[in-house]
């Protein structure tokens, strides 16, 4: 395939960050309402991309985050608290990953 050829839409289906899902489909997939997705967007937990027509589009990665927030809300947490918990969980996971990398550098990596 020549380098200037745009990727086919099917090539993007495995991309966790590709905004493939409409608001209605995304809400259905996580068992929530479109209003819930709007609310977590307003809380800045996720920022959906917009189609050329201005419609919200969600990626699989965003849907996993939204599903976690929904679990917390279903367990009784206010939506703002659920969003903050998910953000803090994500930050902790990243910090632990970086800590592990620093403790056990990849072979051949400079430790200076």
């Amino acid at each position: 395939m020549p380098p200037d050829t745009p990727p086919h839409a099917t090539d993007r289906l495995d991309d966790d960050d590709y905004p493939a899902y409409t608001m209605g489909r995304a809400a259905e997939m996580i068992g929530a309402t479109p209003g819930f997705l709007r609310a977590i967007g307003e809380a800045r937990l996720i920022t959906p991309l917009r189609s050329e027509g201005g419609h919200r589009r969600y990626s699989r990665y965003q849907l996993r985050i939204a599903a976690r927030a929904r679990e917390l809300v279903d367990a009784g947490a206010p939506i703002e608290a659920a969003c903050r918990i998910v953000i803090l969980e994500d930050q902790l996971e990243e910090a632990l990953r970086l800590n592990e990398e620093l403790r056990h550098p990849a072979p051949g990596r400079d430790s200076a």
Side-chain angles (χ1 to χ4, degrees):
M1 177 184 327
D4 293 343
T5 305
H8 290 85
T10 56
D11 295 339
R12 297 180 184 165
L13 293 178
D14 290 332
D15 183 354
D16 261 3
D17 296 318
Y18 182 67
Y21 303 99
T22 62
M23 177 179 274
R25 179 68 180 128
E28 178 183 309
M29 289 173 70
I30 66 166
T33 63
F36 176 81
L37 290 174
R38 280 192 287 286
I40 63 173
E42 289 169 11
R44 295 189 176 138
L45 178 61
I46 59 175
T47 303
L49 293 175
R50 298 283 183 149
S51 68
E52 289 180 17
H55 299 281
R56 292 174 179 89
R57 305 288 289 196
Y58 297 87
S59 69
R60 287 189 301 185
Y61 174 73
Q62 290 174 323
L63 293 183
R64 283 195 300 274
I65 291 171
R68 175 65 180 131
R70 190 185 140 261
E71 289 172 6
L72 292 166
V73 168
D74 287 351
I79 198 160
E80 296 82 11
C83 291
R84 185 68 182 139
I85 290 168
V86 172
I87 290 167
L88 290 170
E89 287 175 340
D90 190 52
Q91 289 173 346
L92 176 59
E93 184 178 320
E94 179 66 9
L96 292 171
R97 185 190 63 77
L98 290 172
N99 192 13
E100 187 64 23
E101 282 181 15
L102 292 172
R103 286 179 190 243
H104 305 286
R109 187 173 171 188
D110 234 353
S111 59

